[in-house]
Amino acid sequence: MQTQAKTWWPKLSALVVAAALGGAVGAVGSRALPLAGATPSAPAAVAQPAAPLPAPAAVGLPSFNDIVARYGPAVVNISTTGMTKTADVQQGPQLDPDDPFYEFFRRFGVPMQPQQRPQLTRGLGSGFIVASDGLILTNAHVVDGASEVTVKLTDKREFKAKVIGVDKPTDVAVLRINAKDLPTVKLGDPAASRVGDWVLAIGSPYGFENSVTAGIVSAKSRSLPDESYVPFIQTDVAINPGNSGGPLFNAAGEVIAINSQIYSRSGGFQGLSFSIPIDVVKQVEQQILAHGKVVRGQLGVMVQNVDQSLADSFGLKSPNGALISGVNPGGSGAKAGLKPGDIVLKFGDKPITASGDLPPLVASVKPGESVPMTIWRDGKEQVLSVKIDAAKDAKVAQAVSDEGQAKLGLAVRPLTAQEKAESGIGSGLVVGQVTGPAAKAGIQPGDVVLALNGTPVNSVEQLRSLSAKAGKRIALLIQRDDAQIFVPLDLG
């Protein structure tokens, strides 16, 4: 079974998204009419027309055959195999009539319990060689969950690849094959690319090996939902499942990005492709090779965009910057004195035009370093020095690390202020990982634990205390989407 390329299905309508992603429309110049009653000796002033754009060079469309011939052999096809677990919903457990929850679940039903079974999966993707001794870059989602990774070169040779490391937040993976004197690509500078420049991709869409597609850069520094660390390059290059992990070349034959995602309602190309700038990729590669993992800086704040009405409210001349909507207690932002309502205008010497500009800049800072930040507060600019903390690894942050939560099989965290505002839930604990009794009962990541045996839970410490005192059977009240349900847990 062929796996799909990483795609993005927005929650907004296609019309709204199209409007959000579109560029500004330029104003049309006009000429003033003569004033009534003007004398011949005093002609009305005429607005000077804008200087015309230089005429385009009389050349045909570009040909990329030289780039393909020279660097195409450095683009590889990646196939993976792995095992995944599929859930078959089975009948829930039979409750003892003497069970205190028997009558409740007799009337409202017992949650169905999924039974998981292993299933072989196969996937296809692309990658490219960056060192002649077999170092390869691709997307993390191409090799995610793979037990075996095979790399095929254009000369038909195949190698078993070792996954050196993956970084899911940026969707970058580093592989190595046991080979020498391999062809390599040349890396370029994404910052030098301009909107409207020609670009091309080489990859294996739907398994059609070493296919070439071309287009232009549509936008730069594009922020996508749930993608905090990558200022994507948007193009109209045809990218389909199997292109993931392949290179995006500029017209000079330099790789400026890795093809990663598409906007699609069908699963196929619809004119919008998103690629990870190669400078972001190189930072990840260097950390993986040096330390086996990626360490990022963290500011410990929540931000949102500044629109015109907010800019007017805060006295800003233009709607730029990242508005701080929440500050995590004990984080580097709180220690530096940042407050909700502050607007970050600069991070170091980098201007912040939108909220999406801030996270990748913070992430690129080595933990422990101090960075000056220019903020807007009380109608004027101020400069604060912020010592950046290390971001916690997602797996470590969500790991079950105490006796009470381990007993339930839950890894939880408190709701953020933004989540409370968006969901309307005043208190509760968000489920991050599920194992043991909680998994058997059908609790899912993303559920919000509201109460244990009827007692509302407001903190991780309270859940730990309540679960430690509980008996062998408990009932958790959880919020899932717009519904609240009780879920029984058998703790044995």
Side-chain angles (χ1 to χ4, degrees):
M1 179 181 68
Q2 179 176 306
T3 59
Q4 296 292 306
K6 187 174 182 182
T7 56
W8 167 47
W9 290 273
K11 297 181 180 177
L12 301 178
S13 69
L15 180 61
V16 174
V17 172
L21 297 183
V25 179
V28 179
S30 60
R31 185 177 64 180
L33 295 175
L35 297 175
T39 64
S41 59
V46 177
Q48 295 298 318
L53 292 173
V59 296
L61 291 175
S63 174
F64 300 112
N65 58 341
D66 289 337
I67 296 174
V68 175
R70 182 169 182 178
Y71 297 112
V75 181
V76 302
N77 306 311
I78 298 175
S79 59
T80 65
T81 57
M83 300 297 293
T84 186
K85 291 184 178 180
T86 58
D88 292 331
V89 177
Q90 305 292 335
Q91 182 63 40
Q94 299 297 319
L95 294 179
D96 190 319
D98 295 329
D99 190 286
F101 297 103
Y102 176 80
E103 184 62 25
F104 176 86
F105 290 113
R106 185 188 68 80
R107 295 177 59 189
F108 297 104
V110 178
M112 306 298 276
Q113 296 191 12
Q115 301 292 325
Q116 294 185 329
R117 61 179 181 178
Q119 180 176 342
L120 180 67
T121 60
R122 300 182 186 276
L124 295 174
S126 305
F128 52 98
I129 306 170
V130 293
S132 61
D133 60 354
L135 195 67
I136 296 171
L137 296 177
T138 186
N139 283 147
H141 77 263
V142 169
V143 298
D144 185 30
S147 57
E148 184 175 276
V149 179
T150 301
V151 169
K152 184 178 181 181
L153 309 184
T154 55
D155 62 9
K156 307 304 180 183
R157 287 186 294 166
E158 295 187 6
F159 300 86
K160 298 301 180 186
K162 179 181 179 181
V163 179
I164 303 299
V166 298
D167 182 55
K168 291 185 178 180
T170 55
D171 196 23
V172 173
V174 181
L175 314 181
R176 186 178 291 280
I177 59 176
N178 186 18
K180 296 181 179 180
D181 302 323
L182 297 175
T184 62
V185 298
K186 181 181 179 182
L187 303 184
D189 179 13
S193 64
R194 302 170 300 171
V195 174
D197 283 351
W198 284 98
V199 284
L200 73 151
I202 305 178
S204 304
Y206 297 109
F208 294 104
E209 299 177 355
N210 300 98
S211 297
V212 182
T213 53
I216 63 169
V217 175
S218 304
K220 296 180 65 177
S221 298
R222 185 70 80 192
S223 297
L224 298 183
D226 302 321
E227 304 286 354
S228 299
Y229 298 117
V230 179
F232 287 93
I233 297 175
Q234 178 188 327
T235 75
D236 67 351
V237 178
I239 301 297
N240 281 293
N243 274 115
S244 291
L248 183 73
F249 292 92
N250 61 18
E254 300 166 331
V255 175
I256 59 171
I258 290 183
N259 300 311
S260 176
Q261 302 188 40
I262 59 175
Y263 168 98
S264 178
R265 293 189 179 278
S266 65
F269 175 69
Q270 289 188 249
L272 296 173
S273 305
F274 299 92
S275 304
I276 308 163
I278 200 65
D279 53 351
V280 174
V281 177
K282 289 298 294 181
Q283 290 176 4
V284 171
E285 176 205 359
Q286 291 167 4
Q287 290 207 49
I288 287 177
L289 293 177
H291 311 295
K293 62 179 182 179
V294 178
V295 179
R296 293 184 175 84
Q298 179 174 268
L299 190 56
V301 299
M302 289 167 285
V303 294
Q304 67 182 78
N305 274 324
V306 179
D307 58 21
Q308 187 61 59
S309 60
L310 286 171
D312 293 341
S313 300
F314 287 98
L316 277 174
K317 293 181 179 179
S318 59
N320 292 323
L323 174 60
I324 296 178
S325 58
V327 180
N328 296 337
S332 56
K335 294 174 183 177
L338 291 175
K339 303 176 182 178
D342 290 341
I343 299 176
V344 182
L345 302 178
K346 282 186 178 181
F347 185 80
D349 59 353
K350 303 291 186 181
I352 306 298
T353 58
S355 62
D357 296 340
L358 186 59
L361 290 176
V362 175
S364 66
V365 176
K366 184 178 180 181
E369 291 185 355
S370 294
V371 179
M373 287 179 58
T374 303
I375 65 170
W376 184 264
R377 179 189 292 176
D378 298 330
K380 59 183 180 181
E381 290 188 5
Q382 299 184 29
V383 178
L384 300 178
S385 179
V386 182
K387 186 176 181 180
I388 301 300
D389 293 334
K392 295 180 180 179
D393 182 77
K395 292 183 178 180
V396 175
Q398 295 179 354
V400 178
S401 59
D402 63 75
E403 181 180 353
Q405 289 173 259
K407 182 178 181 181
L408 302 179
L410 289 174
V412 296
R413 62 169 175 80
L415 287 163
T416 65
Q418 183 176 356
E419 288 170 337
K420 290 179 181 179
E422 292 176 350
S423 66
I425 302 174
S427 62
L429 302 174
V430 181
V431 176
Q433 289 183 347
V434 184
T435 58
K440 292 179 181 178
I443 294 178
Q444 304 171 6
D447 289 344
V448 179
V449 178
L450 303 177
L452 187 152
N453 286 349
T455 302
V457 292
N458 301 305
S459 67
V460 176
E461 291 75 18
Q462 185 185 17
L463 179 63
R464 177 194 306 140
S465 176
L466 291 173
S467 59
K469 298 175 183 177
K472 293 183 178 181
R473 289 180 178 174
I474 64 172
L476 290 181
L477 176 63
I478 66 168
Q479 176 97 18
R480 179 176 298 167
D481 298 326
D482 296 328
Q484 292 185 6
I485 57 175
F486 279 96
V487 178
L489 269 66
D490 188 351
L491 305 181

